[in-house]
Amino acid sequence: MEQTRAICRVVPGTDNGSCGISAGLESAVGQALAPLDDTSNKAADHISSTITAPSTTTLASHLRRTTSQFRHTNRPSPSTPSPYISSLFAYLESTESKITHDQATSERIKHMLRSRVATRVSQEFARVCADALATISKTEASLLRLRKSRGSNVRVDVGDVVVPSGVDLRGKVPEADNDKIRRQIWLDVDQVARIVRGYGVETDPEFARFVDLIQPFGI
């Protein structure tokens, strides 16, 4: 509407009647397209949810493998992201390859999908990684209590494992192993952020805050 008024002000010879008709047409078109935009948004939400589901449902198992590959294995500290990270957006890329509208429409649809998929994937990834890091910290705190007890009869919950009374786990989970796990998680989180930036969209705000929070693990 404002654009129409501006045209009327600056184009010589444009009478008020013409401007009124133009404004009315613009308003009518806007009202007619509003339901289409709403339908497009709902369709994009549904498609992005379908695209995201296969990738996000396996995140917890991937994080468990990340933990196990550095626990008591003497593997060197990681320097590259986990291979599974690239697969998190595989369904998005496969879907984009099937979009065959004209270029302008295709780019609009792709951007809409990328934005929604990036939000969903990054949000869930931050949640799962935060849970994994919390479990590591919980394990460390439990083992510290065991060390202080010098092997006395203490029943401690270590992550998902309950340590029976009288079992001394001092030194069984070296601090270096946990540092390696934390670094691998940082590398993976950083890679997700890079992929999303490459799509020209943004991650979920919670993911961005999570990246800042675990920044020290990448040093």
Side-chain angles (χ1 to χ4, degrees):
M1 291 290 289
E2 184 59 35
Q3 183 180 9
T4 300
R5 296 191 190 98
I7 292 173
C8 291
R9 286 196 296 268
V10 301
V11 177
T14 304
D15 57 55
N16 291 334
S18 298
C19 284
I21 294 173
S22 297
L25 287 173
E26 183 177 331
S27 176
V29 170
Q31 292 176 11
L33 292 178
L36 295 178
D37 287 339
D38 184 55
T39 300
S40 297
N41 287 328
K42 289 180 179 177
D45 284 339
H46 175 72
I47 295 171
S48 63
S49 178
T50 303
I51 291 172
T52 306
S55 300
T56 56
T57 52
T58 58
L59 283 176
S61 62
H62 284 305
L63 265 294
R64 285 194 293 271
R65 281 196 286 273
T66 296
T67 300
S68 62
Q69 70 179 343
F70 292 107
R71 191 80 85 201
H72 314 301
T73 60
N74 292 321
R75 294 184 62 162
S77 182
S79 58
T80 58
S82 300
Y84 77 89
I85 296 299
S86 60
S87 69
L88 294 179
F89 298 93
Y91 287 97
L92 171 63
E93 294 175 1
S94 175
T95 301
E96 286 188 349
S97 68
K98 297 178 176 62
I99 298 175
T100 56
H101 298 281
D102 62 272
Q103 184 174 356
T105 303
S106 294
E107 289 304 314
R108 179 171 177 269
I109 294 173
K110 288 178 181 179
H111 187 273
M112 194 182 298
L113 288 178
R114 288 172 180 175
S115 179
R116 285 164 170 76
V117 170
T119 296
R120 291 173 183 272
V121 170
S122 61
Q123 183 182 57
E124 183 63 13
F125 193 56
R127 185 191 68 79
V128 174
C129 288
D131 287 346
L133 292 172
T135 298
I136 293 172
S137 296
K138 185 178 180 182
T139 301
E140 287 178 334
S142 299
L143 291 174
L144 180 60
R145 289 197 297 272
L146 279 172
R147 291 190 183 101
K148 289 181 177 179
S149 71
R150 297 183 180 278
S152 59
N153 290 339
V154 179
R155 184 177 178 83
V156 183
D157 181 3
V158 182
D160 297 327
V161 180
V162 175
V163 180
S165 299
V167 175
D168 185 3
L169 294 183
R170 287 177 292 181
K172 291 296 184 181
V173 183
E175 199 169 305
D177 286 357
N178 288 333
D179 291 341
K180 293 174 186 177
I181 296 169
R182 289 187 177 104
R183 177 159 179 76
Q184 184 64 71
I185 290 175
W186 157 254
L187 290 169
D188 295 346
V189 168
D190 184 59
Q191 182 65 7
V192 168
R194 290 173 184 272
I195 292 173
V196 171
R197 284 197 299 271
Y199 285 135
V201 294
E202 296 182 358
T203 60
D204 180 75
E206 287 298 322
F207 178 88
R209 285 190 284 272
F210 180 69
V211 172
D212 292 338
L213 183 66
I214 66 170
Q215 182 74 39
F217 299 154
I219 298 175

